[in-house]
Amino acid sequence: MSSSPFVDGFTAASEQGRICALAARGHRDLQQRVAAYPRLFPDPPVDGAMLGALAMSTAFIAPWCTAEQLRIANRASLWVTAEDWQIDFSATSWEAVESTVSSCLAVADGGTPADDDDLGRFLAEIRDELATRPAFAALRSAWREEVRRMLTADAREWRWRSARTLGGWSPPTLAEYLDNADNYGASFVNVSHWIATSEPDVLAHLPELTAASREAQQAIRLVNDLASYERDVRSGDLNALMLGVDREKMTRHIADQLDRCRKSLEDLAGSCPQEALYLAREIGFTSGFYHGTDFWGSFDR
């Protein structure tokens, strides 16, 4: 049967509609989690549009999944939002940052969070759902390492921002800044998703997948910084463009980073084709998304 504008348009729109249905179901689940932990998610900046964008991103990155299979990725993304807000904007002292880091690591180690520790309680929900997956027992330490790396990176950036506010700071180099890209949280989300959904033969390659995820995370970090510079200036957040890197150099660095990502994903495609495609779509979706908007709603710090 020959192709026609009607057939092509119908097929494309039908698939896009199916993916949007995945996003809508994910959005509703995220609304329920926000309702369960209202202190974690002030509105603004965590508005309905942000929740919809988070759910849409996972649906378009992994459209082969069911809504149930995307639940861990959606909830992990939402948890990253809460953790980022708590450390970046709520913590007013290093002691508060340390307390957040230590309590979350205790939960990642299997501890029971305090009744008033909403961030820890939400992380425990994610941990306990992952614990129902067959792979989690063997990969728990890998998951815990992602939690540690993200919290440690966010704490390090808190120190950088604090020193910058006080004056006389020595800014990190671009390489140091990118080495700290775990604060973006993408690898934590990715590893959580793979543990929840991938087959054992794929999870045998989790170290290589995680390394590729970190490369993708660095590219996304820079793409995000290009898009969010004006907002970061207003809020006092850090941005690569504040480190003596101009837009032209940043654009070249992104191109180089994307080339490294492409080579890594080509190497992984033989053993982990779906997961390699997942990372390629993650880079592509977020790059396109940041050309038009940001996940965060408007807020005044």
Side-chain angles (χ1 to χ4, degrees):
M1 181 177 178
S2 62
S3 179
S4 73
F6 175 82
V7 172
D8 291 346
F10 178 90
T11 302
S14 177
E15 174 63 4
Q16 290 161 2
R18 186 191 66 80
I19 297 171
C20 287
L22 288 176
R25 293 182 64 184
H27 187 179
R28 292 188 182 106
D29 181 68
L30 294 183
Q31 287 177 313
Q32 293 173 1
R33 302 332 302 145
V34 168
Y37 299 105
R39 292 183 298 180
L40 289 180
F41 304 106
D43 179 6
V46 185
D47 55 13
M50 180 185 190
L51 299 181
L54 287 177
M56 190 182 299
S57 69
T58 58
F60 274 91
I61 289 167
W64 49 81
C65 289
T66 65
E68 290 73 21
Q69 289 173 323
L70 290 176
R71 184 169 58 234
I72 284 290
N74 281 328
R75 292 186 178 188
S77 296
L78 185 62
W79 188 84
V80 170
T81 299
E83 180 271 341
D84 186 52
W85 181 262
Q86 189 151 318
I87 289 183
D88 283 6
F89 298 101
S90 297
T92 58
S93 68
W94 177 245
E95 290 72 23
V97 173
E98 286 186 311
S99 177
T100 296
V101 171
S102 62
S103 62
C104 288
L105 287 179
V107 170
D109 286 332
T112 301
D115 290 342
D116 62 349
D117 180 9
D118 287 354
L119 189 66
R121 289 170 57 217
F122 190 15
L123 182 62
E125 277 191 16
I126 296 169
R127 178 201 66 197
D128 292 347
E129 182 167 351
L130 279 172
T132 67
R133 305 304 201 270
F136 188 64
L139 297 175
R140 182 171 193 148
S141 60
W143 181 78
R144 195 266 189 195
E145 175 64 6
E146 294 308 307
V147 177
R148 185 197 68 79
R149 289 180 68 108
M150 180 175 54
L151 290 164
T152 300
D154 238 352
R156 183 177 297 116
E157 184 158 311
W158 189 95
R159 280 193 177 276
W160 287 340
R161 286 198 316 275
S162 179
R164 180 170 177 260
T165 300
L166 294 173
W169 76 312
S170 177
T173 65
L174 180 61
E176 290 170 335
Y177 180 77
L178 288 177
D179 282 344
N180 203 53
D182 282 304
N183 70 323
Y184 187 77
S187 283
F188 164 71
V189 174
N190 295 344
V191 169
S192 298
H193 174 70
W194 290 329
I195 290 174
T197 63
S198 295
E199 296 296 328
D201 57 336
V202 169
L203 291 173
H205 297 278
L206 189 60
E208 302 100 293
L209 280 170
T210 304
S213 177
R214 295 206 200 292
E215 290 186 347
Q217 184 173 244
Q218 290 188 1
I220 295 168
R221 172 80 275 173
L222 292 178
V223 170
N224 171 267
D225 280 3
L226 277 178
S228 64
Y229 175 70
E230 287 77 14
R231 187 204 71 195
D232 293 338
V233 170
R234 293 193 303 271
S235 69
D237 211 350
L238 279 189
N239 186 295
L241 292 171
M242 300 173 185
L243 307 177
V245 181
D246 60 27
R247 286 184 177 271
E248 182 179 353
K249 181 178 179 181
M250 187 108 106
T251 300
R252 290 198 305 270
H253 199 95
I254 291 172
D256 291 342
Q257 187 66 28
L258 290 175
D259 189 54
R260 285 190 287 272
C261 290
R262 179 184 58 78
K263 292 174 181 176
S264 295
L265 296 183
E266 286 175 352
D267 291 340
L268 280 169
S271 56
C272 311
Q274 188 164 270
E275 288 70 17
L277 179 59
Y278 171 100
L279 286 174
R281 290 181 67 91
E282 181 177 41
I283 297 168
F285 178 89
T286 52
S287 296
F289 184 85
Y290 284 134
H291 276 301
T293 188
D294 194 2
F295 285 98
W296 289 98
S298 298
F299 66 94
D300 295 320
R301 187 170 183 181

